[in-house]
Every structure is written in C-alpha cells, then in structure tokens.
Amino acid sequence: MFRGLLVGAALALMSVGPAFAQEEEIVVTATRYREAYENFSVPHVSLVRRADFAVQQITIGSDTREAAQRTAELRQALQSLTRYADRNARISVALIEEDSDQSGQARVVAFNVDKAMESLRSGPRQDTSYVSITVRTRVAVGDDRDAVRERFTQFVSNIPRPGRVEVSFGEMQLTLNDPQQYRPALITSIAADAAQISNALGVGYGARLEGLENPIAWRRAGDLDLRLFIPYRMVILPREAS
C-alpha cells in the first residue's frame, strides 16, 4: 500500500513538470544563481549532463576622445561582429538577460545591435566607453575546456576593430536548454531508489519523500559537465509511522 502511494505521488509530480519547464537557454553557472543556491546539498540521486553551450562574455571598448565618435566606433564594431559571426559555423553572438527577482536566473536572448548598445557604459578611464556582449558555442561530446577556449580565442582575435576599439575576455560560463525537462527522469530515479531501499529493509519499513516539488538545481561536475538534482529529502520510517 505504502509503495503504491509512493509511486503514485512520484507520477503525480512528474505530471506537473511542464509547469516548471520553459523553452529557454539558461546560464546555469551564473554568479547570482550560484549565490542563491550554494547552500543546497546534492542528494544521493542526481543526473550528470553535458552543458548544451559554453558562453563567453566579451567587452568591446574604445578610448577615442570624442564621445560621439567612440559610440559610432562601438556600433560599427558590433555590426561588423554580427556579420563575421554569421559566416562562422561554430560561434554565435547573444546577450544575457538576468531576472530581477531572487531566483538568480539568467537566460540567453537573441542578439540585436540596438539592444547591445543599451549596455553602453563609461570605462574605468576618462574618455573610454564599452559594451558587453556574449559569444557562444555548442559543447560537443569530445570537447574539453581548452578546445572551447581556443574556439573563442580564435573568434575574438578575428573580430574587426574599427578606430581605437579593443576587445577583452570575461568569464566563460555554461548553459542548458530548458533544465526543467530533466525532472521526470530524476523523479523516476528517486522513486526507484526509495522503493529499492524500502524493499531491502523489509515489509515493516517505507520511505517518505520531501521536497520533490522543488525545481531542478545543479552543480558543476567538471569543466563542461553539470550534475542536476532536485533538493529532496528521503526519510525511512516504520510503516506504522509512515
């Protein structure tokens, strides 16, 4: 009876998975996310998944003295970069958009020169301006960190630089397409693990699962791999108490 309820509850939770799912590419190593969820403990059941993309922030700056000319140079650089990326089969250009709430979530959005220019900021020195954008590449099965970095380095070294434009690297991060799509597989594995433990202990025991309503969390499991998990808790109890 108890095991039937356990499986039924797991199946019910699986059915609500799409409510969490969003067809979006999420920056799963974004700093705000790590800060929001760094206290989560990785439970026994988890799933290792290779990242879908690696993304690299790059800063495009100019120190041309005239402000209007600096702005024009940066816009020209972005337009040239877009045309260059269109001819590159392995690198694309994007922007990162962060949620304003406490989730810490950041997503990849389509690149647009005008949108990118909205990030125009004054530089650390007088008469300097810069914009920040993101370049991305799909992570292949045989890729390692060095191979991905080399693709980014080669791409950035060939970006056109009008006037006094300079380009610098930021942090490399990882993304996943729709992380919540992995809920059903995780819940199935969690339910199977709970049933196995209950069976091993005998008919007098059962498992209570808490926290399966939580969205998926993750930790880095390597340079390009991620460990996905649901922050759940399993309690083994005598059947009378469960």
Side-chain angles (χ1 to χ4, degrees), residues 72-90:
E73 287 178 359
L74 293 175
R75 179 177 288 277
Q76 183 182 349
L78 292 177
Q79 292 168 337
S80 298
L81 182 152
T82 303
R83 290 192 293 270
Y84 176 62
D86 287 343
R87 300 192 299 270
N88 191 301
R90 305 196 71 181

Side-chain angles (χ1 to χ4, degrees), residues 73-227:
E73 287 178 359
L74 293 175
R75 179 177 288 277
Q76 183 182 349
L78 292 177
Q79 292 168 337
S80 298
L81 182 152
T82 303
R83 290 192 293 270
Y84 176 62
D86 287 343
R87 300 192 299 270
N88 191 301
R90 305 196 71 181
I91 303 288
S92 58
V93 188
L95 297 172
I96 301 298
E97 188 176 84
E98 292 189 349
D99 286 352
S100 58
D101 58 21
Q102 298 302 310
S103 69
Q105 189 163 273
R107 60 181 52 81
V108 177
V109 298
F111 182 79
N112 176 278
V113 171
D114 290 334
K115 184 71 174 177
M117 287 298 293
E118 292 178 8
S119 71
L120 181 67
R121 299 289 185 272
S122 298
R125 304 191 316 275
Q126 187 176 8
D127 298 334
T128 60
S129 302
Y130 69 94
V131 292
S132 294
I133 66 167
T134 296
V135 291
R136 60 199 278 273
T137 185
R138 182 173 291 279
V139 177
V141 174
D143 274 339
D144 59 20
R145 187 181 182 90
D146 290 341
V148 171
R149 284 197 178 281
E150 177 58 28
R151 288 207 292 275
F152 285 138
T153 300
Q154 189 173 41
F155 178 84
V156 170
S157 67
N158 290 312
I159 292 176
R161 292 169 170 77
R164 296 179 61 85
V165 164
E166 294 292 337
V167 180
S168 60
F169 280 106
E171 182 183 5
M172 188 175 80
Q173 298 179 320
L174 304 177
T175 74
L176 270 181
N177 291 327
D178 184 16
Q180 303 306 328
Q181 68 177 294
Y182 300 104
R183 282 180 59 80
L186 280 167
I187 291 176
T188 296
S189 296
I190 291 168
D193 183 59
Q196 182 181 29
I197 292 173
S198 298
N199 288 333
L201 293 175
V203 295
Y205 290 89
R208 184 175 72 212
L209 298 173
E210 302 171 348
L212 289 182
E213 73 280 2
N214 290 321
I216 287 179
W218 43 80
R219 291 280 190 279
R220 221 163 181 156
D223 289 335
L224 301 174
D225 295 316
L226 299 152
R227 184 174 298 279

Side-chain angles (χ1 to χ4, degrees), residues 4-29:
L5 291 173
L6 174 65
V7 174
L11 291 173
L13 283 162
M14 286 172 61
S15 69
V16 303
F20 290 92
Q22 300 178 20
E23 294 298 328
E24 295 175 312
E25 183 183 345
I26 304 300
V27 185
V28 294
T29 55

